[in-house]
Amino acid sequence: MSQFFLSSEESQRGQVLVILSVGLVVILAFFALAVDGGYWFSEFIRARNAVDAACVDAAKVSWRGGSVSTAFASSLEGNSFNSETYSPNEFAGGDEIASNLIKGYALDGGTASLYTAVKYEIDTFVLQIVGWRKLPVRAIERCSTTGAYITPIAVKKSAFYDSLNNGTWISVVGQGAEADIDSGENYRGVIFPFIWCVESAGNLTPDTNCPYAYPVYPIEESPPSAATAKNILKEYCWKGYCNRNFSPVGMRLATVPGTSNNQLCKEAVNSGLIPGTDFVAIVYDGEVVTPDPGFGNWENVGVLGWGTFTVVELRPGPNNCNELVAVATGGIYSSPYQIPESLNPREIPWDAIGGW
């Protein structure tokens, strides 16, 4: 009998040791989670904040025609991230598609987006006891590179100020968007932001006679044809893709001829200019100039600056409009840097429509 009790006591003692061992493992696991997990989470937050800031900084520079790589690197280094955390670029599966980015940056022209990412490892503390010496840290962000619809629209100054000061709804595309003075009488509110009327290829002094139509990105044809220019306008400019090079104040920009009110309005709507949408447009003095005989054939307007607008109505309706009506909300801005932050490139939420 005494042997039985001794055996039972030893068994209980063994069970207690097992429970204590398991308990110590559990406690150690929680301790490791608290220490190393907490450190990892704080480092992830730091990485996410840094890559978010770098994304917006680089997107703004891209929007204004500057160096994305320089802005991206400068922003991260300013937040104490060395080059190994963001360079060289890495992509999942080796496919250099922006949405596959693992480390670095990638521009996606199709969606006017910039992807930025950092990737590195941090040392562990408690987990080193079980041989787990490193934890991976990765953060990624996506930003718009175009702001809010910086459009190929030019609005006359008289209408702009009437709208800004009095809240008047004004026609900015199609029917009702005509100039105050227009010898050709065919202006419908839309310009080619990538065709500058200047003296020559080597002299960018603005000239109303448009002796040389200077091509700016995304157009490459020189001299540009009207057909090519309209295709570029349709494919790129309505969505804001061709405003990486801002026309300076005083520059003369060619106007869009031979296109119906309905065509122009439908392209605007297809790009997303629907009631409630904010956008940016050029403001001009109200006169469309026709070149003198013997000079260029590009009617043109002069840039006074930029204004911000909100679409309020599509007439007669959104499915078959001939007129885009808006109200002015701010300006005249003499530099793109003065355009309100809310209309600048910004982060795209991970759960945005269409996803990442």
Side-chain angles (χ1 to χ4, degrees), residues 8 80 88 93 113 158 173 198 261 280 299 312:
S8 176
S80 302
S113 300
S158 57
V173 174
V198 298
N261 294 324
V280 180
E299 294 183 352
V312 292

Side-chain angles (χ1 to χ4, degrees), residues 16-356:
V16 169
L17 289 174
V18 170
I19 292 171
L20 285 174
S21 298
V22 172
L24 285 173
V25 171
V26 171
I27 291 172
L28 184 61
F30 275 108
F31 182 62
L33 183 63
V35 175
D36 289 319
Y39 175 48
W40 175 89
F41 185 72
S42 66
E43 190 65 21
F44 168 72
I45 295 298
R46 187 176 83 91
R48 187 186 66 185
N49 290 341
V51 83
D52 287 358
C55 189
V56 174
D57 290 347
K60 288 181 179 179
V61 169
S62 170
W63 183 46
R64 291 162 181 153
S67 171
V68 173
S69 60
T70 300
F72 174 61
S74 296
S75 182
L76 285 173
E77 289 171 5
N79 283 306
S80 302
F81 283 78
N82 62 47
S83 61
E84 292 180 355
T85 64
Y86 61 82
S87 181
N89 286 355
E90 291 183 18
F91 297 87
D95 294 329
E96 296 189 6
I97 301 171
S99 57
N100 289 347
L101 184 70
I102 293 176
K103 184 173 77 171
Y105 76 91
L107 282 163
D108 185 353
T111 61
S113 300
L114 171 68
Y115 288 79
T116 56
V118 293
K119 173 192 170 187
Y120 56 98
E121 293 181 327
I122 58 173
D123 294 326
T124 60
F125 298 99
V126 182
L127 286 173
Q128 289 195 24
I129 297 172
V130 295
W132 201 339
R133 301 184 180 281
K134 300 283 186 180
L135 286 175
V137 177
R138 178 171 172 256
I140 188 168
E141 184 56 83
R142 178 184 170 197
C143 300
S144 70
T145 59
T146 59
Y149 294 108
I150 303 173
T151 57
I153 298 172
V155 180
K156 59 187 178 185
K157 181 176 68 173
S158 57
F160 170 79
Y161 277 125
D162 181 30
S163 182
L164 185 66
N165 296 331
N166 305 312
T168 307
W169 292 10
I170 57 174
S171 298
V172 297
V173 174
Q175 186 175 328
E178 63 272 359
D180 290 329
I181 302 173
D182 182 5
S183 56
E185 296 184 350
N186 62 4
Y187 183 63
R188 295 182 171 91
V190 182
I191 47 88
F192 292 121
F194 47 73
I195 299 179
W196 297 3
C197 289
V198 298
E199 293 282 354
S200 66
N203 182 355
L204 301 189
T205 302
D207 191 326
T208 56
N209 279 317
C210 208
Y212 185 81
Y214 184 77
V216 179
Y217 175 85
I219 201 165
E220 297 178 354
E221 182 180 291
S222 181
S225 68
T228 298
K230 287 181 182 180
N231 287 334
I232 294 289
L233 186 77
K234 179 179 179 180
E235 294 171 6
Y236 292 91
C237 294
W238 278 115
K239 296 182 179 179
Y241 298 175
C242 62
N243 287 279
R244 306 297 169 84
N245 296 290
F246 279 87
S247 316
V249 170
M251 183 54 66
R252 309 295 306 186
L253 301 180
T255 64
V256 176
T259 306
S260 71
N261 294 324
N262 181 255
Q263 287 176 303
L264 294 173
C265 193
K266 287 177 69 174
E267 288 301 330
V269 173
N270 289 340
S271 73
L273 286 177
I274 60 176
T277 304
D278 296 325
F279 66 96
V280 180
I282 286 169
V283 179
Y284 73 104
D285 63 6
E287 180 177 7
V288 175
V289 175
T290 301
D292 295 334
F295 285 89
N297 59 355
W298 296 97
E299 294 183 352
N300 54 85
V301 301
V303 178
L304 293 182
W306 293 270
T308 55
F309 301 81
T310 300
V311 180
V312 292
E313 192 173 28
L314 300 167
R315 297 174 180 168
N319 296 325
N320 194 33
C321 64
N322 290 306
E323 185 176 3
L324 188 149
V325 180
V327 62
T329 57
I332 299 175
Y333 305 109
S334 58
S335 163
Y337 293 95
Q338 297 174 345
I339 295 172
E341 285 289 321
S342 61
L343 294 174
N344 280 350
R346 57 207 178 279
E347 295 174 13
I348 298 174
W350 66 269
D351 58 350
I353 295 174
W356 267 28

